[in-house]
Amino acid sequence: MDERAEEQQRVDKIIKAIQTKEEKLYSQSKGLKEDVIDLRKTFWDDITVNMDEPDDVIETQESIKQQAALLSEKERFHGKVGERLKTLDRLKHSPYFGRIDFKEDSYPEKEAIYIGISSLMDKDDTEFLIYDWRAPISSLYYDASTGKASYSTRETTITGEVTLKRQFIIKQAQIEGMFDTGVTIGDQMLQQALGNNASTMMNSIVATIQKEQNQIIRNERSSLLVVQGVAGSGKTSAALQRIAYLMYRYREELNADNVMLFSPNPLFSSYVSNVLPELGETNVRQMTFLDFIQKRIMDNFTVESPFAQMEYVLTQEASQDYPTRMKSMAYLASLSFKYLIDSYVEKINEAGLRFKRVAFRGETIVSKQQMYDYFYSLGAEIAIPNKLEIVVKWLLEEIRTTQKKEVNKDWVMEKVESLDKEDYMKAYHRSEDQQDYGSSIEDEEKILRSQVVKRVFAPLKKRIENLEFVNIPGTYQALFTEFKPESAPKDWQEITEHIAQRLRERYLTWENATPYLYFQDRILGDTTDRAVRQMIIDEAQDYSAFQFAYIRHKFPYTRMTLLGDINQAIYTYAMKENPLLPVDHEENQERITLTKSYRSTKQIVEFTKHFAPGGDMIEPFNREGSKPVLIQDDDIAETLLQRIEEFTKEGYETTAIICKTRQESEAIAEILKGKVTFNQINEETYTFEKGLLILPVYLAKGIEFDAVIIPDASEAHYGKEADRTLFYTACTRAMHALAMISGGKPCRFIEEATGETYEVM
């Protein structure tokens, strides 16, 4: 029998072992489900409720606690069985993808180690049939070549020799491909994976992790891990696998709620939604930074999205306030502005905090001036949030005093008369309990009046407890209208007038949203998030210095992984103090650079590296394809339709028409309407689907397509140096084919590429 037949025989045995385990778990699951249902139905039957004596009360509470704990444990175990059944179902189709033969120095026999997305034990649970890809021994598969090798466990380092490394392509329990590998892991597998068309979800690349990607995945030392990776280098895949690895490695203390992923846009969230389940883990908390900010800004503001800001930058150069807005954008994104806010907060501790009056039925209970005087009567040595806590207690006492005065007023009786029957019955019983000789109408009325006043005042008390009496917008606006900073940019007057006007309109520009939230936190009190243990920030090159500083301020105990590519930094104001750039004072940080691009064909990478800002470092993966095409034609509609038809004939399932702006994408959609079926992507698109897509470049971040068409690659359209990263980002979304259309002179970036790297039609 040849080796392939032997390996298939083993796969068949593994499938039988999985089926046996499934049957056992199904029977356990059925029994557990019935137990849980019965326990829910009979929850109170096994509890003796006795509230007569203090000891009886304690015994009753303990009895309830024990019964609830039993139910919770059974429900938890039932959930775990369900998750294991899902994993076994995945293993049935493709039980493993790799094999290592390893002989430990201290043992005479070598062991064949098979690696898959989850571990599998034999029927006696004594021997591993499959090792989880995250297990310590599995690191040999990614890091070591044949020959002397070692791997580390929690306790020690195991040394030995790798005598064989083999990879499998197994689908529907059948071996479709199998080959032995040497030093380089995954190149042959990767060629096949990349040769397939892009699916609607980003597929797992566990089987093809390169050594440098494995350093990202298994890094446990760094509190800040910075990954600078060129377009298509697999940094996002590696980061998601890093999450899966850490959740496996620290499974007793790290779960999905402890991990947060900041995505560049909602479409990207959909694009990667299937990755963690494929790796054997549940999805983690995923949101955009815009979502994060909008949920936390207390006052009624409209917050500009980063995409609307980008659209403004690219399309509104002719507007009167454009130069001022650009200066404002650069300053508000900087750490200098953060330091200015800090100095303003120090001043506010002495004077300047604004308040809103506390009123009831149009009548002032506590005026703004009374609050101001009380707040500043407290010592300057007390921090602002602590002072506000004292003010809250004082205000609630004032409310209670007002409540007592309101009880006997006519408006209360009007509301009493509209109460329902249940309220009257409760008042009657309470009145009886309070009286020795039965209740009276007067007693019931008093109770009902008290209830009405309590209910009516409850929302006011809640607003006070939520510190809504502090006028954060007014105080923040005073920063731009009254504060005289010791050091400010030379255009401070011009900038502040522009910002103050937007604040009066209750509008927060994207560059001002994070500073406002930071200021709000400094005044009302920091609510640092201790629950998030690991954070991944994708497309980190598009975060400003202020935004990243705020994230560190908000999550001071969180280990962070930053992923990005300086070559794709489309928000140019963020470049000076970008979080991807080295930081001297950052302790316990590690930087990993990925220079090999796997996404695009060699021809596309060779073309784009000529105009990439750091193009010299980019290494193409050796996957052949056709050269990018420059089509010089004024008839945009006909040219687009021809190219779309050709790409469809080629069998490409996702073709993206990537525009510079939303404005351009709407114009292209209008041209193609009724002539071809397409999906137009905007910032509120949450689902990634196959087909023909039209979208602006800033919504294509992190996503790949089989073919890309750039509808206007002319110098008139991409004519500024600031357009370099936009054009590079658009081109590098293509996996297999890239077409650029230019009605006039091609843009400077195409001309920077050597003639042999693209074809002209």
Side-chain angles (χ1 to χ4, degrees):
M1 189 185 295
D2 65 11
E3 286 191 343
R4 180 157 178 159
E6 283 180 16
E7 291 287 12
Q8 183 60 57
Q9 204 173 67
R10 185 181 191 275
V11 170
D12 297 340
K13 285 179 183 175
I14 293 293
I15 300 305
K16 285 180 184 173
I18 290 170
Q19 288 168 341
T20 303
K21 284 190 177 286
E22 277 184 323
E23 287 165 13
K24 188 177 175 183
L25 280 171
Y26 273 125
S27 120
Q28 274 185 358
S29 174
K30 191 179 176 186
L32 269 171
K33 189 175 181 181
E34 288 165 357
D35 283 355
V36 168
I37 292 168
D38 288 344
L39 197 52
R40 282 177 181 161
K41 284 179 180 175
T42 62
F43 186 88
W44 294 100
D45 295 355
D46 299 327
I47 297 171
T48 306
V49 178
N50 190 339
M51 310 298 278
D52 294 340
E53 300 292 335
D55 287 349
D56 296 330
V57 172
I58 292 168
E59 192 176 326
T60 299
Q61 288 174 337
E62 191 58 36
S63 178
I64 293 169
K65 191 177 174 182
Q66 286 175 359
Q67 191 77 340
L70 178 63
L71 176 60
S72 176
E73 181 60 25
K74 283 188 178 290
E75 286 176 331
R76 191 178 68 82
F77 191 58
H78 182 260
K80 283 199 165 185
V81 169
E83 286 299 316
R84 186 58 184 161
L85 281 168
K86 285 180 191 173
T87 302
L88 288 173
D89 188 54
R90 282 197 294 270
L91 286 177
K92 265 197 311 191
H93 300 292
S94 182
Y96 43 80
F97 48 75
R99 168 183 168 180
I100 313 164
D101 287 2
F102 184 64
K103 182 190 167 299
E104 281 187 40
D105 288 340
S106 53
Y107 286 90
E109 299 291 323
K110 70 179 179 184
E111 181 185 0
I113 295 150
Y114 288 83
I115 298 164
I117 62 159
S118 180
S119 58
L120 181 75
M121 306 287 285
D122 63 10
K123 63 178 181 179
D124 301 319
D125 287 338
T126 55
E127 297 288 334
F128 277 96
L129 300 176
I130 305 170
Y131 284 86
D132 191 295
W133 67 275
R134 296 161 289 192
I137 197 169
S138 302
S139 64
L140 291 170
Y141 176 77
Y142 303 114
D143 284 342
S145 55
T146 50
K148 288 290 181 185
S150 64
Y151 67 94
S152 297
T153 67
R154 290 190 187 192
E155 295 81 26
T156 186
T157 297
I158 310 294
T159 58
E161 184 180 1
V162 173
T163 58
L164 174 76
K165 290 177 72 175
R166 179 169 290 168
Q167 285 191 227
F168 303 94
I169 303 168
I170 303 174
K171 293 180 181 175
Q172 302 302 318
Q174 295 299 310
I175 296 176
E176 293 191 356
M178 170 184 124
F179 54 87
D180 294 348
T181 64
V183 176
T184 304
I185 311 294
D187 279 9
Q188 292 177 48
M189 182 80 85
L190 202 51
Q191 283 183 355
Q192 177 168 337
L194 291 170
N196 294 333
N197 292 339
S199 65
T200 55
M201 302 288 185
M202 177 191 281
N203 289 320
S204 160
I205 60 160
V206 173
T208 58
I209 301 168
Q210 301 297 295
K211 190 168 183 177
E212 65 267 19
Q213 290 168 329
N214 202 32
Q215 290 176 337
I216 298 167
I217 294 163
R218 293 173 187 262
N219 181 295
E220 297 175 34
R221 304 176 300 276
S222 310
S223 59
L224 178 64
L225 178 62
V226 180
V227 181
Q228 159 60 39
V230 301
S233 57
K235 51 189 177 291
T236 302
S237 296
L240 290 166
Q241 288 164 86
R242 171 171 169 73
I243 292 172
Y245 170 74
L246 292 169
M247 286 171 72
Y248 172 87
R249 175 77 169 80
Y250 299 102
R251 51 194 175 279
E252 299 302 323
E253 54 203 79
L254 192 67
N255 58 49
D257 293 329
N258 304 136
V259 183
M260 183 182 283
L261 169 63
F262 276 133
S263 305
N265 54 60
L267 184 64
F268 179 84
S269 299
S270 160
Y271 188 63
V272 300
S273 63
N274 206 38
V275 176
L276 285 170
E278 270 194 12
L279 300 176
E281 294 294 350
T282 52
N283 266 321
V284 298
R285 283 199 274 169
Q286 220 182 123
M287 66 178 72
T288 64
F289 191 52
L290 174 62
D291 293 334
F292 179 80
I293 282 178
Q294 285 178 322
K295 285 175 185 172
R296 284 158 181 79
I297 287 179
M298 286 176 56
D299 295 280
N300 186 24
F301 275 101
T302 299
V303 180
E304 180 186 45
S305 74
F307 316 115
Q309 184 206 58
M310 192 71 203
E311 195 71 15
Y312 175 90
V313 170
L314 296 174
T315 64
Q316 299 300 311
E317 280 186 89
S319 67
Q320 191 175 349
D321 67 349
Y322 189 85
T324 306
R325 171 87 195 266
M326 295 306 290
K327 291 173 193 172
S328 162
M329 204 179 286
Y331 184 61
L332 267 59
S334 69
L335 290 178
S336 299
F337 185 54
K338 178 180 176 292
Y339 303 144
L340 187 140
I341 289 177
D342 289 336
S343 64
Y344 180 54
V345 170
E346 285 178 23
K347 176 188 171 291
I348 286 171
N349 203 15
E350 298 168 7
L353 186 61
R354 283 161 166 71
F355 295 92
K356 302 172 189 172
R357 72 172 185 143
V358 175
F360 180 73
R361 292 174 65 85
E363 296 291 322
T364 299
I365 298 173
V366 181
S367 71
K368 292 187 278 188
Q369 189 60 48
Q370 284 173 305
M371 262 184 272
Y372 187 94
D373 293 341
Y374 185 84
F375 179 86
Y376 285 109
S377 71
L378 302 170
E381 72 282 356
I382 305 172
I384 294 173
N386 295 341
K387 282 185 187 176
L388 289 174
E389 282 182 28
I390 299 168
V391 173
V392 167
K393 290 175 185 173
W394 170 62
L395 287 174
L396 290 175
E397 198 55 52
E398 294 294 314
I399 295 292
R400 279 189 279 273
T401 303
T402 305
Q403 265 184 250
K404 289 173 186 173
K405 293 176 184 174
E406 294 289 323
V407 166
N408 296 314
K409 291 190 176 177
D410 292 343
W411 70 266
V412 180
M413 198 59 205
E414 288 172 18
K415 288 195 176 288
V416 166
E417 288 166 1
S418 63
L419 292 173
D420 57 33
K421 187 179 177 182
E422 190 180 344
D423 289 316
Y424 278 98
M425 289 302 296
K426 283 180 182 175
Y428 170 76
H429 290 304
R430 276 188 63 193
S431 178
E432 274 205 325
D433 291 342
Q434 291 171 10
Q435 303 296 326
D436 294 329
Y437 306 104
S439 66
S440 68
I441 297 297
E442 290 80 11
D443 294 328
E444 287 177 39
E445 183 186 317
K446 188 178 178 183
I447 290 167
L448 288 166
R449 279 178 172 273
S450 179
Q451 277 182 357
V452 164
V453 172
K454 188 177 179 182
R455 281 183 196 174
V456 172
F457 271 87
L460 181 58
K461 287 180 179 177
K462 192 71 179 170
R463 289 198 296 274
I464 288 168
E465 287 165 355
N466 290 340
L467 303 175
E468 291 179 37
F469 59 89
V470 185
N471 187 351
I472 296 292
T475 313
Y476 188 65
Q477 190 163 322
L479 167 62
F480 304 101
T481 56
E482 297 174 19
F483 184 54
K484 306 295 181 195
E486 291 178 12
S487 60
K490 61 179 180 179
D491 303 304
W492 178 244
Q493 183 75 27
E494 183 187 344
I495 289 171
T496 53
E497 286 173 8
H498 171 78
I499 296 167
Q501 178 56 37
R502 303 320 301 267
L503 290 172
R504 281 191 286 273
E505 295 164 0
R506 310 294 285 185
Y507 187 81
L508 279 172
T509 57
W510 178 239
E511 65 271 16
N512 204 12
T514 302
Y516 181 87
L517 193 53
Y518 175 67
F519 177 75
Q520 177 181 288
D521 283 359
R522 289 294 315 272
I523 297 299
L524 302 184
D526 293 340
T527 50
T528 54
D529 195 327
R530 293 169 182 267
V532 178
R533 307 278 300 282
Q534 292 281 346
M535 178 180 285
I536 310 283
I537 301 177
D538 206 355
E539 303 295 341
Q541 75 278 354
D542 291 332
Y543 285 72
S544 71
F546 199 136
Q547 287 170 340
F548 183 59
Y550 177 70
I551 291 170
R552 296 305 301 269
H553 161 83
K554 197 77 177 171
F555 300 94
Y557 310 105
T558 302
R559 290 177 179 265
M560 296 189 183
T561 303
L562 308 188
L563 313 165
D565 179 12
I566 290 292
N567 297 337
Q568 298 178 66
I570 61 175
Y571 298 91
T572 51
Y573 65 82
M575 283 299 295
K576 265 187 190 176
E577 304 168 296
N578 195 278
L580 285 184
L581 299 172
V583 182
D584 294 334
H585 61 268
E586 185 71 52
E587 291 181 16
N588 198 19
Q589 72 159 299
E590 189 165 341
R591 304 183 62 81
I592 295 174
T593 302
L594 303 177
T595 57
K596 200 163 194 174
S597 178
Y598 299 105
R599 175 190 296 139
S600 307
T601 61
K602 182 179 179 181
Q603 285 72 16
I604 293 172
V605 176
E606 289 290 4
F607 167 69
T608 56
K609 68 184 286 189
H610 281 91
F611 52 84
D616 294 344
M617 293 179 63
I618 301 171
E619 304 170 57
F621 177 69
N622 192 21
R623 182 169 66 87
E624 295 296 325
S626 56
K627 290 180 181 179
V629 174
L630 171 63
I631 306 163
Q632 294 187 291
D633 198 327
D634 289 329
D635 190 345
I636 180 72
E638 189 58 35
T639 307
L640 276 172
L641 289 169
Q642 283 178 2
R643 191 51 49 177
I644 291 163
E645 187 182 351
E646 285 177 28
F647 286 159
T648 304
K649 282 180 183 173
E650 289 286 332
Y652 298 141
E653 294 180 338
T654 57
T655 295
I657 300 175
I658 300 183
C659 305
K660 185 178 178 182
T661 63
R662 185 183 68 234
Q663 201 175 83
E664 184 191 357
S665 71
E666 286 169 355
I668 295 295
E670 197 59 40
I671 289 169
L672 296 179
K673 192 180 287 183
K675 297 171 184 170
V676 66
T677 302
F678 61 84
N679 287 318
Q680 191 177 353
I681 306 297
N682 59 40
E683 62 186 86
E684 293 178 0
T685 303
Y686 287 84
T687 307
F688 182 83
E689 295 175 354
K690 292 179 181 177
L692 177 64
L693 309 173
I694 303 172
L695 70 166
V697 62
Y698 49 77
L699 291 180
K701 301 299 285 287
I703 304 175
E704 58 196 26
F705 309 95
D706 295 324
V708 165
I709 302 170
I710 297 176
D712 186 353
S714 68
E715 178 68 13
H717 201 50
Y718 286 97
K720 293 184 297 188
E721 181 56 34
D723 295 330
R724 181 180 296 277
T725 53
L726 284 168
F727 191 71
Y728 173 75
T729 302
C731 292
T732 54
R733 302 307 93 201
M735 291 175 65
H736 306 293
L738 171 63
M740 301 161 289
I741 302 169
S742 177
K745 183 176 184 287
C747 71
R748 63 177 73 184
F749 312 119
I750 295 174
E751 295 192 339
E752 284 179 22
T754 54
E756 66 270 13
T757 60
Y758 64 96
E759 292 178 1
V760 181
M761 295 179 67

